[in-house]
Amino acid sequence: MRYLITGGAGFLGSHLVERLLLDGHNVICLDNFYTGTKDNLRNFIQNDQLEVIRGDVTEPFSFEVDAIMNLACPASPVHYQRFPVETTRTSVLGALNSLDLARKLDIPVFQASTSEVYGDPTVSPQNETYWGNVNPIGIRSCYDEGKRAAETLYMDYNRQYGTKIRIARIFNTYGPRMSVNDGRVVSNFIVQALQNQPITIYGDGSQTRSFCYVTDLIDAFVRMMKLEGSLVGPINLGNPSEFTILQLAEKIIELTGSRSPIEFELLPSDDPKQRKPDISLASSALGWKPSVELNEGLTKTIEYFKEKISKAN
C-alpha cells in the first residue's frame, strides 16, 4: 500500500513511517518540521519507498495514496502552549484536509487523538464512553479542544459521507526520538537525571500517568488500519499500568545511577491528576495489549538520550 503520514517526522510519526517501510509499504511523509526533524528519519531516509515532503496540513493537499494517517500536531505542553492558535488550526484544519482527501479517494483515514480529550478525569480508569472533564478556555485547551473538535469532524464525515475513519486516543507514550526539550515528563526526567541536575516534579508527585512504549503503540496503529466493519473508534491505546510521577522519578534515578535530587514546584493549571486507560476495547477488537514493561522501555530510552546528549557535548 501507499500511505500518507502527516507529521511523519515527529516522535510517533517517524516510528510509524519506519514500521510501514519495514512492512513493505510505500510512504509519503508530510511535515512542516515545527516539532519533527529529519534526524528522526535518518536511519531510513534513503529508502526508495519513502518520499519526504515539507508541507503544512493547514493548507489543502493532494496525493494519490491508499490510506492516510494524520499525526500532525504539537503534542507537548511546551510546544502547544507557545503557539496555541496554530495548534488549534493544525488540529481542526488538518482534520478537515485529511478527511476531504480521504473522502475524494474513498480511502481509510486515521486520526491520532489523545487521552487529553478526557481532561482532568473524574473517573478511573477512563473508557471510551466517558465524555471527559475539560476546561474549554484554559492554557491546555488549544490542544484538548482541538483534538476533541477533530474527533467531531471525523465522526461527522463518517456519518454524513460514509468516510472510512479510524480514531485512536493515545495515552502517554515514550521512547527513542523524543525531543530533549519537549517538556514531557519522561524525557525531562531522563535528561535531568543523566546530567545529575535536580529532577523537577510539579505538584507533590502523587498524580499518576500510564506509560506506553512507542513500538507497542505503533503496533496498535497498524492493527487499527486493518479493522473491518463498522468499528471506527475512538479506541484507547496505552499501557494500563499506573505509576505516580514520584515513582517514575525514583525509577529513572535508579536506572541511570543518577545523583539528582528531587525538587517540587507548583502544579501547572489544569494538569490532570490521573491517567489510566481502560483498554478493553483495544484488547477485544484488535487483539492488542502492551508487551514492553516500564523498566525495559526506560532502559532503551535512557540509552537513546545518553547518545544524544553525548553528541551534543
Side-chain angles (χ1 to χ4, degrees):
M1 290 181 62
R2 185 171 173 82
Y3 281 87
L4 169 63
I5 311 299
T6 68
F11 163 48
L12 295 183
S14 64
H15 281 278
L16 178 59
V17 169
E18 183 176 27
R19 168 64 186 269
L20 293 174
L21 290 172
L22 288 171
D23 288 350
H25 300 291
N26 291 287
V27 178
I28 297 174
C29 164
L30 181 69
D31 206 297
N32 65 0
F33 299 102
Y34 167 53
T35 58
T37 69
K38 287 188 177 179
D39 188 58
N40 285 338
L41 307 170
R42 61 186 168 88
N43 291 339
F44 41 89
I45 200 166
Q46 299 301 325
N47 191 314
D48 291 339
Q49 292 174 266
L50 173 63
E51 185 177 358
V52 180
I53 297 174
R54 182 183 292 271
D56 197 308
V57 295
T58 62
E59 301 293 335
F61 49 83
S62 183
F63 301 95
E64 290 297 327
V65 292
D66 302 306
I68 302 167
M69 301 186 74
N70 181 33
L71 278 68
C73 189
S76 80
V78 167
H79 291 137
Y80 63 67
Q81 288 174 21
R82 184 181 301 154
F83 295 107
V85 174
E86 289 80 358
T87 296
T88 304
R89 284 173 57 85
T90 297
S91 289
V92 175
L93 295 180
L96 280 168
N97 290 328
S98 299
L99 286 161
D100 282 339
L101 181 57
R103 181 186 172 206
K104 173 185 173 184
L105 299 177
D106 191 25
I107 59 174
V109 56
F110 172 98
Q111 168 66 12
S113 190
T114 172
S115 61
E116 297 300 325
V117 300
Y118 299 124
D120 188 7
T122 58
V123 302
S124 186
Q126 296 87 55
N127 65 33
E128 293 86 352
T129 63
Y130 176 55
W131 289 358
N133 178 39
V134 176
N135 178 358
I137 57 172
I139 61 171
R140 301 171 69 100
S141 61
C142 60
Y143 185 68
D144 301 0
E145 295 289 21
K147 289 290 190 176
R148 285 161 68 97
E151 285 196 15
T152 299
L153 286 165
Y154 269 70
M155 293 302 298
D156 285 341
Y157 265 69
N158 175 256
R159 285 186 284 252
Q160 186 169 339
Y161 304 122
T163 308
K164 303 167 187 175
I165 67 166
R166 309 281 188 274
I167 301 173
R169 287 180 178 165
I170 302 165
F171 283 69
N172 289 65
T173 304
Y174 70 100
R177 298 184 200 147
M178 296 181 81
S179 173
V180 168
N181 60 353
D182 71 0
R184 299 188 220 199
V185 65
V186 172
S187 53
N188 271 4
F189 286 3
I190 290 176
V191 170
Q192 289 169 339
L194 288 174
Q195 299 180 81
N196 293 306
Q197 298 173 346
I199 288 183
T200 307
I201 291 181
Y202 296 96
D204 62 5
S206 64
Q207 65 270 41
T208 67
R209 297 293 185 269
S210 303
F211 301 102
C212 185
Y213 190 66
V214 63
T215 55
D216 280 335
L217 184 77
I218 298 304
D219 181 58
F221 286 4
V222 171
R223 290 173 185 243
M224 280 193 72
M225 292 305 286
K226 295 177 181 178
L227 274 175
E228 299 289 345
S230 59
L231 181 60
V232 300
I235 298 179
N236 285 342
L237 299 179
N239 193 318
S241 298
E242 191 175 17
F243 296 87
T244 68
I245 296 301
L246 181 58
Q247 286 175 323
L248 176 70
E250 292 169 342
K251 190 175 286 288
I252 287 173
I253 289 172
E254 176 188 347
L255 291 172
T256 57
S258 176
R259 301 186 303 277
S260 293
I262 293 176
E263 294 184 352
F264 296 89
E265 296 191 7
L266 291 176
L267 192 68
S269 175
D270 298 328
D271 192 68
K273 300 177 190 69
Q274 195 168 32
R275 278 281 183 268
K276 179 180 171 65
D278 180 335
I279 61 168
S280 302
L281 182 57
S283 178
S284 61
L286 307 177
W288 176 85
K289 66 177 182 179
S291 61
V292 179
E293 297 293 335
L294 186 60
N295 273 23
E296 179 187 352
L298 285 177
T299 299
K300 293 178 179 178
T301 309
I302 288 166
E303 288 305 311
Y304 168 79
F305 278 107
K306 275 184 182 176
E307 181 182 348
K308 198 167 184 69
I309 291 170
S310 176
K311 286 183 179 179
N313 294 333

